[in-house]
Amino acid sequence: MQGFSGTLLPFSQTIQSIFFLFFSSCFVILAFWFNKEGPTLAANFRNIFSGGVRRRAIFKEEITTTGVWSEFFLIFQTILILAIILFVFLWDKGISGLSAKNMIFLFLAIFFGILLFISVKYLVYRIIGYIFPEWGLEEWTEKYFRVVELVGVLIFIPAMFFVFVPEYAKIALFLLIIIIFIIMMVAFWNLLNVFAKNKVGLLNYFLYLCAIEIVPFFLIYKGVVSLVNIAGN
């Protein structure tokens, strides 16, 4: 019986096994946390798309130890999956010839770079909220990590196709871009609601959007290119 011939994965068997272990572990742990805190996590995600701000009294009642740990894991999962996607995307851009040591260094640099980016953005939100309390950014800060968590959940399956099914890698990459773009638009919509609710001028919103939300992504692109060049040397 004649079957379908697949395309070999570009990276080594060791890297395949490590990435498969990452995805399998995330799936098992994610299933565990959703079994424990599924309703709360689902409510958090729905709150992102509602555009409304949950009352603090309700929010405090829903905080549990397992809920906090589940959110930490979801953030970790998002960072890990994004790091894997960037690593695979850059494979044929020059990193395939790196030594094993440099590959590990590059992957860790990407992982901690994304972690630093998320942390710095959160810190910036807090600082701006302190300097301009009338903007009401603390309402958005509550949703910020929910958006990060949701990204990791929605890109999980497309990321697996992108990494392990090279025949559909381009389709999976396109789908990943679409998902991230939609999430960003939802995040910008939530920000606009916060600014409108607190009667902050539209000009301030667009200045904030460009300086804090859009420009950093160009800096990340430059940083990744520089990192690849450094690792290659």
Side-chain angles (χ1 to χ4, degrees), residues 52-114:
V53 179
R54 197 185 310 181
R55 289 180 298 174
R56 292 184 179 272
I58 297 177
F59 179 71
K60 288 181 179 179
E61 289 175 2
E62 294 178 349
I63 292 180
T64 62
T65 302
T66 54
V68 172
W69 280 110
S70 66
E71 295 197 34
F72 273 121
F73 168 73
L74 288 173
I75 294 170
F76 170 81
Q77 176 182 265
T78 299
I79 298 172
L80 179 62
I81 294 177
L82 289 176
I84 293 174
I85 292 172
L86 283 174
F87 185 88
V88 174
F89 178 77
L90 295 172
W91 183 260
D92 59 354
K93 304 294 189 295
I95 70 172
S96 57
L98 298 178
S99 64
K101 179 180 178 181
N102 284 338
M103 284 184 183
I104 295 174
F105 166 77
L106 179 62
F107 182 81
L108 291 177
I110 293 174
F111 179 88
F112 286 106
I114 297 172

Side-chain angles (χ1 to χ4, degrees), residues 3 8 25 33 35 37 41 51 79 106 156 170 175 198 216-217:
L8 292 175
S25 300
W33 286 124
N35 183 53
E37 294 290 329
L41 294 174
I79 298 172
L106 179 62
F156 189 91
K170 291 184 179 179
L175 185 58
N198 293 281
F217 286 101

Side-chain angles (χ1 to χ4, degrees), residues 51 135 137 140 184-206 208-209:
W135 288 13
L137 274 184
W140 162 246
M184 288 180 62
M185 291 301 101
V186 172
F188 295 164
W189 174 57
N190 276 275
L191 273 169
L192 180 59
N193 284 338
V194 171
F195 275 65
K197 178 182 176 181
N198 293 281
K199 299 179 180 180
V200 181
L202 195 60
L203 178 60
N204 286 332
Y205 170 74
F206 282 112
Y208 168 87
L209 201 63

Side-chain angles (χ1 to χ4, degrees), residues 1-230:
M1 183 183 233
Q2 186 177 6
F4 295 95
S5 59
T7 303
L8 292 175
L9 296 179
F11 28 82
S12 68
Q13 188 69 39
T14 302
I15 297 178
Q16 295 177 37
S17 300
I18 292 173
F19 284 168
F20 181 77
L21 179 62
F22 284 160
F23 277 103
S24 300
S25 300
C26 286
F27 179 80
V28 172
I29 299 173
L30 183 64
F32 170 78
W33 286 124
F34 264 96
N35 183 53
K36 290 282 187 180
E37 294 290 329
T40 300
L41 294 174
N44 289 338
F45 294 153
R46 284 196 301 269
N47 188 249
I48 296 172
F49 291 94
S50 70
V53 179
R54 197 185 310 181
R55 289 180 298 174
R56 292 184 179 272
I58 297 177
F59 179 71
K60 288 181 179 179
E61 289 175 2
E62 294 178 349
I63 292 180
T64 62
T65 302
T66 54
V68 172
W69 280 110
S70 66
E71 295 197 34
F72 273 121
F73 168 73
L74 288 173
I75 294 170
F76 170 81
Q77 176 182 265
T78 299
I79 298 172
L80 179 62
I81 294 177
L82 289 176
I84 293 174
I85 292 172
L86 283 174
F87 185 88
V88 174
F89 178 77
L90 295 172
W91 183 260
D92 59 354
K93 304 294 189 295
I95 70 172
S96 57
L98 298 178
S99 64
K101 179 180 178 181
N102 284 338
M103 284 184 183
I104 295 174
F105 166 77
L106 179 62
F107 182 81
L108 291 177
I110 293 174
F111 179 88
F112 286 106
I114 297 172
L115 176 60
L116 179 63
F117 173 74
I118 292 174
S119 302
V120 169
K121 284 195 69 175
Y122 176 75
L123 182 61
V124 169
Y125 294 148
R126 301 292 294 182
I127 293 174
I128 294 178
Y130 178 78
I131 297 175
F132 302 103
E134 68 277 7
W135 288 13
L137 274 184
E138 64 276 2
E139 298 176 5
W140 162 246
T141 305
E142 292 180 1
K143 287 188 176 182
Y144 170 62
F145 283 120
R146 306 294 191 282
V147 173
V148 175
E149 295 163 15
L150 182 60
V151 169
V153 173
L154 294 182
I155 68 174
F156 189 91
I157 293 179
M160 288 193 68
F161 273 84
F162 179 70
V163 175
F164 297 111
V165 190
E167 297 91 342
Y168 299 100
K170 291 184 179 179
I171 297 176
L173 180 61
F174 178 77
L175 185 58
L176 287 167
I177 294 173
I178 292 297
I179 291 173
I180 293 175
F181 176 79
I182 291 174
I183 294 297
M184 288 180 62
M185 291 301 101
V186 172
F188 295 164
W189 174 57
N190 276 275
L191 273 169
L192 180 59
N193 284 338
V194 171
F195 275 65
K197 178 182 176 181
N198 293 281
K199 299 179 180 180
V200 181
L202 195 60
L203 178 60
N204 286 332
Y205 170 74
F206 282 112
L207 289 175
Y208 168 87
L209 201 63
C210 293
I212 306 300
E213 303 294 339
I214 298 177
V215 171
F217 286 101
F218 291 99
L219 298 178
I220 288 177
Y221 172 77
K222 289 292 185 180
V224 170
V225 173
S226 300
L227 188 61
V228 172
N229 292 333
I230 293 172

